[in-house]
């Protein structure tokens, strides 16, 4: 158990809908990262937040957005869903020690768009 | 961040050491080598990381060559539960992990 929690575990929805995925980082971790894992693209970095501020962006679609709240939990919002958005979505939180940063991943949310 | 090259798959007998190689010839001085694994569709699990010295923890050992262009992850006594995809990732200041296709390690009974 990494200490990172994600809800829900599974989500089934229809095209055109909007969903929100939630991530609670490990206690004390200020950074949250979101990743998407689809069958054809592998694990891809989407976005990073640090203490409430967006820090880095990866291959995140404009239909997707995220935020990190004062209690440090984060939400990933996916809108106008398409079949191709079906994937596993992971969040990770990180700790910095001895000059390096290690990310710990949650169990993921499996999204199925029908 | 530097790119890594790993064999697509490897087999290992249960109880034997599993040695997983990784090439990262374009690694730069401030980049760390990280290893993660993913069992089935679970979240990636952190294993170990290092900069230039060899590292060991309760899960594995990491051997980094002197020129830092390659490394080897060693699982000393592989078990069936170690069957997973192992990712070698080079990561620097950006802190975003760029996952390749990894090595599928199959531990055989």
């Amino acid at each position: 158990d990494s200490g990172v929690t994600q809800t829900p575990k599974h989500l089934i929805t229809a095209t055109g809908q909007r969903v929100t995925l939630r991530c609670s980082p490990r206690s004390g971790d200020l950074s949250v990262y979101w990743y998407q894992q689809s069958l054809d693209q592998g694990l891809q970095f989407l976005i990073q937040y640090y203490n409430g501020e967006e820090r880095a962006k990866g291959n995140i679609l404009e239909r997707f957005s995220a935020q990190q709240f004062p209690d440090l939990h984060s939400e990933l919002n996916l809108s106008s869903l398409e079949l191709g958005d079906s994937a596993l979505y992971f969040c990770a939180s990180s700790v910095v020690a001895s000059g390096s940063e290690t990310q710990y991943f949650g169990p993921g949310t499996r999204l199925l768009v029908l | 961040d530097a790119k890594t090259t790993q064999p697509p798959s490897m087999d290992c007998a249960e109880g034997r050491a599993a040695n997983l190689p990784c090439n990262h010839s374009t690694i730069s001085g401030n980049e760390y080598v990280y290893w993660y694994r993913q069992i089935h569709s679970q979240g990636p699990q952190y294993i170990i990381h290092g900069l230039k010295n060899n590292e060991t923890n309760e899960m594995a050992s990491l051997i980094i060559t002197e020129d830092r262009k390659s490394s080897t992850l060693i699982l000393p006594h592989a078990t069936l539960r170690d069957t997973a995809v192992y990712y070698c990732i080079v990561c620097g200041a950006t802190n975003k992990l760029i996952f390749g296709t990894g090595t599928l390690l199959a531990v055989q009974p």
Side-chain angles (χ1 to χ4, degrees), chain B residues 2-100:
Chain B
K3 194 174 162 150
T4 62
T5 304
Q6 299 177 253
S9 64
M10 292 182 65
D11 287 343
C12 176
E14 192 176 16
R16 305 297 292 267
N19 296 279
L20 291 91
C22 179
N23 285 323
H24 32 78
S25 58
T26 60
I27 192 170
S28 52
N30 63 345
E31 290 180 318
Y32 285 77
V33 179
Y34 286 81
W35 284 83
Y36 283 80
R37 72 181 182 184
Q38 187 173 27
I39 297 171
H40 196 42
S41 295
Q42 297 176 22
Q45 179 187 22
Y46 166 76
I47 302 173
I48 198 167
H49 75 283
L51 183 62
K52 52 185 175 182
N53 297 322
N54 297 338
E55 301 287 344
T56 295
N57 63 20
E58 65 280 1
M59 285 184 71
S61 295
L62 173 60
I63 309 297
I64 302 175
T65 57
E66 198 168 331
D67 63 7
R68 303 210 321 125
K69 292 186 177 181
S70 65
S71 60
T72 301
L73 177 75
I74 301 172
L75 306 179
H77 305 288
T79 70
L80 298 178
R81 289 182 298 178
D82 293 321
T83 292
V85 177
Y86 287 76
Y87 296 98
C88 166
I89 302 165
V90 169
C91 183
T94 62
N95 296 324
K96 54 184 180 183
L97 300 176
I98 300 184
F99 288 81

Side-chain angles (χ1 to χ4, degrees), chain A residues 20-23 34 65-69 73-77:
Chain A
T20 297
L21 313 183
R22 182 188 168 105
C23 169
W34 286 97
S65 64
Q67 54 184 325
Q68 186 178 26
F69 295 86
H73 90 271
S74 178
E75 292 180 358
L76 179 67
N77 300 296

